[in-house]
Amino acid sequence: GAGVSQSPRYKVAKRGQDVALRCDPISGHVSLFWYQQALGQGPEFLTYFQNEAQLDKSGLPSDRFFAERPEGSVSTLKIQRTQQEDSAVYLCASSLETSMNFGPGTRLTVT
Amino acid sequence: DQQVKQNSPSLSVQEGRISILNCDYTNSMFDYFLWYKKYPAEGPTFLISISSIKDKNEDGRFTVFLNKSAKHLSLHIVPSQPGDSAVYFCAASDDYKLSFGAGTTVTVRA
């Protein structure tokens, strides 16, 4: 079956631009997570959804970051007025119980 | 502050020998520990896990050991194979959230 997919795979944005990153989780997976992975680091938690409810957004670095999952399936992570420090790989993961399935990530480069 | 630490950024091992990856954590509330493997341009894939009530879990060539008193876990891969060359992340769970280490790059030499 299909795994978690993310698009675009690569995004180059000029500083100040807004970007939207999409995640298609595994069908039927209730839980969805966004993580940010900076170069040479491990993934860091951004936010967590259970169905359409955003239960935890404590990891979002600033109010420029916004995530939604309006129908409990596809999720979008939006970053407004991108800054250079936003350059990272953004990973989406979905899970049914304990094991988390990660997508391939979107590599965002802010120039 | 990093709650999960992998102090060895890289490890080189000969094919057929044992690979030992180490991980330390600080949060005693972590109740589940996982290892993920990552190839370039792919997302992390789950490898093996262990509950905090156990001290060992084995799956084929992979064994994870947990020492709760030392807040330390390790992953043993034996025998190491060329396909094992990847970045390995240690992760710890407190409820639904995972905290990751910075990763260890394993290179298996022929």
Side-chain angles (χ1 to χ4, degrees):
Chain A
V4 178
S5 61
Q6 293 186 245
S7 60
R9 292 294 312 277
Y10 302 91
K11 176 72 179 176
V12 178
K14 290 187 177 174
R15 192 173 54 173
Q17 275 186 333
D18 297 348
V19 298
L21 313 181
R22 177 186 168 109
C23 172
D24 285 81
I26 294 173
S27 177
H29 278 196
V30 168
S31 299
L32 185 144
F33 303 82
W34 284 97
Y35 283 80
Q36 179 191 58
Q37 186 178 11
L39 191 63
Q41 301 298 316
E44 292 203 6
F45 171 82
L46 292 177
T47 187
Y48 162 55
F49 289 87
Q50 196 172 86
N51 295 306
E52 69 278 3
Q54 188 175 22
L55 299 186
D56 187 342
K57 55 182 181 179
S58 63
L60 296 177
S62 76
D63 58 8
R64 295 186 296 104
F65 287 70
F66 173 76
E68 61 183 4
R69 193 186 185 197
E71 295 177 2
S73 179
V74 170
S75 177
T76 304
L77 176 67
K78 296 179 180 177
I79 309 174
Q80 296 177 323
R81 304 181 304 281
T82 52
Q83 303 294 315
Q84 279 197 311
E85 62 263 26
D86 300 335
S87 295
V89 174
Y90 290 85
L91 294 164
C92 176
S94 69
S95 72
L96 199 52
E97 291 182 354
T98 52
S99 179
M100 213 176 275
N101 302 272
F102 282 88
T106 295
R107 180 176 294 279
L108 173 65
T109 304
V110 181
T111 60
Chain B
D1 60 332
Q2 283 275 47
Q3 298 188 76
V4 178
K5 291 183 181 176
Q6 294 176 255
N7 291 319
S8 298
S10 63
L11 172 70
S12 181
V13 64
Q14 195 159 14
E15 183 178 1
R17 305 295 290 268
I18 185 170
S19 294
I20 299 177
L21 291 81
N22 293 301
C23 178
D24 297 291
Y25 62 95
T26 57
N27 187 346
S28 56
M29 298 301 292
F30 288 142
D31 57 3
Y32 203 70
F33 302 89
L34 308 91
W35 285 92
Y36 281 83
K37 177 180 179 179
K38 186 182 183 305
Y39 292 118
E42 294 183 13
T45 55
F46 171 74
L47 196 56
I48 191 169
S49 63
I50 187 167
S51 164
S52 61
I53 62 172
K54 295 189 172 182
D55 55 19
K56 178 181 174 181
N57 187 27
E58 191 173 350
D59 184 2
R61 297 185 298 115
F62 303 92
T63 302
V64 55
F65 296 92
L66 175 63
N67 182 334
K68 280 187 68 178
S69 61
K71 294 193 176 70
H72 177 84
L73 65 156
S74 62
L75 174 68
H76 292 206
I77 307 172
V78 56
S80 299
Q81 298 175 353
D84 296 333
S85 295
V87 179
Y88 290 79
F89 291 100
C90 170
S93 171
D94 173 16
D95 198 1
Y96 53 83
K97 200 184 297 188
L98 289 183
S99 297
F100 285 85
T104 297
T105 301
V106 172
T107 303
V108 180
R109 308 186 310 271

